[in-house]
Amino acid sequence: MSARGRARRLAVVVLVGVLAATGCANRERAAGPATGAPAAQAFPAQVTAPDGSVILLRRKPERIVSLSASSTEALFAIGAGEQVVAVDDQSTFPADAPRTTLSGLTPNVEAIAAYQPDLVVAQADANDLVAGMEKLHRPVLLLPSARSIDDAYAQFRLLGKATGHVKEAEDLATRTQDEIAGIVAGMPKPATPLSYYHELTTELYTATSKTFIGQVYGLFGLTNVADPADTVDSGGYPKLSAEHILRSNPDLIFLADTKCCGQDAATVGARPGWSTLKAVRGGNVVALDDDLASRWGPRIVDLVRSVGEAVSKASQTAGG
C-alpha cells in the first residue's frame, strides 16, 4: 500500500436557527431543550446533534447525502435507504448504496450540492462543510466518531428522528444492544484477563481502551497493551514500537489492516522477533474485517461476535 494510501486510511480511522425561506432547514446553537412540532407528527422536527447544534427540518428528507460510512449503514438499516441519493467513496456497505466519488475527508461543497440534498450527514466539519452548505440552505447533521457503544445507539436514534424512521431506529438500537449483551453473556470468560494488541496499520498505529474499538474489547475484560503508551497528542491512537509490543507479549493480536495492507497471521509471524509472541505461538492472531473494525454502525454485532469467538479460543491456548 502506498504512503498516501496509508495516510488516508489513518485519517479515516482517527477522525476523531431559523428556517431559510428557500430551504428545508438551517442550523443553530441549542440554547435549551428542543421545541418543535407536536409529538403526533414527525415533521417539522428538530434534531440536536452531539455537538449541541440543532437542525430544523421542515419536512421529511427525500434526498440524503451521507459522507460517513457508519451513518450510511445505519440509514439503510433503519429503512431510510430509499431516501439516500449519494454516499461517499468509503461507504462500501450495503452493496446497493449509491456510492460516488464524494469524500467525507475532504468534502467539496459544489460536488455535494449537485445532488440537491435536503439533508447531508457527515462525520466532521472538514473544509468548512457546514458553513458552505448553510449558504445553500442545506442542513448538515454532524455525527462524529462514536467513543462508546452507547454513542452508536444514540446516533441510530438521531438518524431515525432526522429521516422519519423513529420507531425503526429505536428497534435497531434495542436489538443491537440485546444481541451484543447476549454474545458477551454467552462467551466463556478466561480465568485471568487476556492482553491484546489491535493493529490499525503496519506502522504499528493502534487504539487504546478509551476508543470505540477499545470499549468493544473491554466487554470481554481484555487488557490493552497500548494503554501505557497513550498521550494527549495521540488521542487514543498512539504509534507503538516493535519493542513495546514484543515486551508486552500480548495473548491476542487483532489485525484491522487485512484489506488495506495484506496483513495476516503469516505476515505477522514473519516480522523480526514476533514469532516468539504468545499470540503467534498460540495461533491467536485474528484477522478482522477492516471495515467492521473501523465503523460504529449496525454491524458492530458482527465485530463483537468475532472478538468474542477469538477470546474464547485464546482462553484455551494462552500462556503457551
Side-chain angles (χ1 to χ4, degrees):
M1 188 180 190
S2 67
R4 181 179 180 183
R6 288 194 296 270
R8 177 180 175 82
R9 170 174 169 72
L10 184 59
V12 172
V13 172
V14 175
L15 265 177
V16 269
V18 178
L19 287 171
T22 58
C24 293
N26 205 342
R27 194 178 184 85
E28 66 179 14
R29 181 59 49 185
T35 59
Q41 65 183 74
F43 294 91
Q46 296 190 32
V47 179
T48 303
D51 67 355
S53 58
V54 172
I55 295 176
L56 305 176
L57 297 168
R58 177 180 294 171
R59 60 184 66 89
K60 180 179 178 179
E62 297 296 345
R63 297 190 62 82
I64 301 171
V65 170
S66 174
L67 302 177
S68 164
S70 295
S71 293
T72 296
E73 294 191 16
L75 285 166
F76 276 80
I78 64 175
E82 293 185 356
Q83 297 158 251
V84 178
V85 295
V87 302
D88 71 310
D89 56 356
Q90 298 299 307
S91 291
T92 55
F93 187 89
D96 59 344
R99 192 177 180 191
T100 69
T101 58
L102 294 176
S103 172
L105 290 174
T106 56
N108 181 301
V109 170
E110 290 184 357
I112 297 167
Y115 290 93
Q116 300 183 328
D118 46 19
L119 176 64
V120 176
V121 182
Q123 183 176 342
D125 187 18
N127 283 1
D128 293 323
L129 172 66
V130 173
M133 298 308 296
E134 278 186 343
K135 290 179 181 179
L136 302 174
H137 310 299
R138 310 289 182 177
V140 179
L141 174 59
L142 293 180
L143 296 178
S145 300
R147 299 191 68 85
S148 69
I149 298 178
D150 285 342
D151 282 352
Y153 302 150
Q155 290 191 15
F156 296 168
R157 295 183 174 101
L158 283 175
L159 286 171
K161 185 174 183 181
T163 61
H165 295 272
V166 174
K167 183 181 184 303
E168 296 93 327
E170 182 62 40
D171 289 345
L172 175 64
T174 301
R175 184 171 66 253
T176 304
Q177 185 173 14
D178 290 347
E179 289 181 3
I180 289 176
I183 293 170
V184 174
M187 291 294 176
K189 306 297 186 297
T192 302
L194 302 178
S195 62
Y196 76 96
Y197 160 62
H198 175 86
E199 183 167 288
L200 293 171
T201 71
T202 52
E203 289 87 354
L204 308 186
Y205 278 97
T206 186
T208 67
S209 296
K210 69 181 183 182
T211 63
F212 176 84
I213 185 66
Q215 291 202 9
V216 170
Y217 292 123
L219 293 172
F220 299 95
L222 301 181
T223 300
N224 193 331
V225 302
D227 287 350
D230 197 17
T231 65
V232 174
D233 291 338
S234 67
Y237 296 93
K239 179 179 180 180
L240 302 183
S241 65
E243 292 75 19
H244 178 102
I245 297 170
L246 292 172
R247 183 171 59 251
S248 300
N249 196 16
D251 297 300
L252 288 136
I253 294 176
F254 292 94
L255 301 175
D257 52 1
T258 58
K259 291 182 179 178
C260 75
C261 313
Q263 296 304 291
D264 56 24
T267 62
V268 168
R271 297 174 186 176
W274 287 53
S275 62
T276 64
L277 294 176
K278 288 186 291 185
V280 176
R281 297 202 318 269
N284 295 314
V285 177
V286 184
L288 297 175
D289 181 302
D290 295 20
D291 293 339
L292 290 183
S294 63
R295 299 177 185 176
W296 52 97
R299 292 192 295 162
I300 54 177
V301 172
D302 298 329
L303 174 62
V304 171
R305 183 176 292 108
S306 294
V307 172
E309 291 172 350
V311 172
S312 178
K313 174 179 178 291
S315 66
Q316 303 173 29
T317 60

